[in-house]
Amino acid sequence: MKQRTKRKIRACADEALNLLYPRRCPQCDRIVPHGEKICPECRASIAYEDEPRCMKCGRSMRREADPTRAYCPDCERHPHVYDFGYCLAEYHSVARSIYRMKYRNRRENAAWYGEEIARHLGRELSALHPEVLVPVPLHRERQRKRGYNQAEDIARSISRR
């Protein structure tokens, strides 16, 4: 089956599900307007990270005393074992949706995160030419208890885009 046909079938199935089970905002949990994935009020409240960014963790440097520095104070004080990272938004502005996704079985939030990451960081991710996305593994006991790994769900959502 062609990719285009699969996408159309998926879109029709998603539309039917949305009619039966309207989407809820990942942030405030209210029902969102048809066709939306997040309510307008919550979208406006998200503090997306922007340039200039820390060259290690990807957090925005605009809040720092010297935004021209290469690394944020945290990365200067504490060495990390990874080469570099990207950050979508300030944690406090998306904490509720992360909590719901991780601890309240709101796996559908992963699709929204995948779309937002692709929208805001897609250019940077594409420039890396990834062959595969590998989510951070979840401890075996935690995965058994929760039943899923939210990082895996987000990675799957990003890879679709």
Side-chain angles (χ1 to χ4, degrees):
M1 189 181 290
K2 291 184 177 181
Q3 195 70 352
R4 190 177 192 169
T5 306
K6 285 182 182 179
R7 272 187 252 144
K8 284 184 180 179
I9 291 170
R10 184 180 194 91
C12 287
D14 285 348
E15 193 66 29
L17 280 173
N18 287 338
L19 290 172
L20 293 172
Y21 305 102
R23 289 184 194 262
R24 292 191 167 273
C25 176
Q27 288 288 90
C28 68
D29 212 31
R30 292 184 305 227
I31 293 176
V32 297
H34 185 72
E36 297 295 322
K37 298 221 167 110
I38 185 171
C39 70
E41 298 85 13
C42 290
R43 179 170 294 286
S45 72
I46 296 173
Y48 290 99
E49 298 286 9
D50 57 4
E51 299 293 339
R53 293 176 183 266
C54 171
M55 293 179 69
K56 190 65 166 179
C57 71
R59 284 183 26 213
S60 178
M61 295 289 286
R62 66 183 151 74
R63 297 177 301 277
E64 303 302 332
D66 183 3
T68 62
R69 296 181 64 100
Y71 300 107
C72 69
D74 184 53
C75 289
E76 286 180 347
R77 280 191 302 271
H78 309 290
H80 299 292
V81 295
Y82 56 86
D83 293 329
F84 57 90
Y86 293 106
C87 188
L88 175 66
E90 292 176 22
Y91 178 75
H92 70 85
S93 72
V94 292
R96 292 177 295 176
S97 64
I98 291 172
Y99 180 85
R100 282 188 189 97
M101 182 173 51
K102 288 174 72 172
Y103 305 112
R104 299 282 185 220
N105 199 25
R106 294 298 300 273
R107 294 179 73 176
E108 66 272 15
N109 289 3
W112 177 76
Y113 274 105
E115 287 179 14
E116 290 300 288
I117 289 168
R119 193 165 67 111
H120 289 273
L121 299 169
R123 191 171 5 132
E124 291 89 341
L125 296 175
S126 292
L128 296 171
H129 305 290
E131 292 180 26
V132 65
L133 294 177
V134 181
V136 175
L138 197 57
H139 187 277
R140 193 174 353 166
E141 181 61 28
R142 187 163 283 168
Q143 173 124 8
R144 186 189 64 71
K145 184 177 180 183
R146 193 176 292 165
Y148 62 95
N149 178 353
Q150 72 281 351
E152 186 178 320
D153 290 348
I154 293 171
R156 191 175 294 113
S157 178
I158 293 169
S159 70
R160 283 189 197 116
R161 282 144 190 90

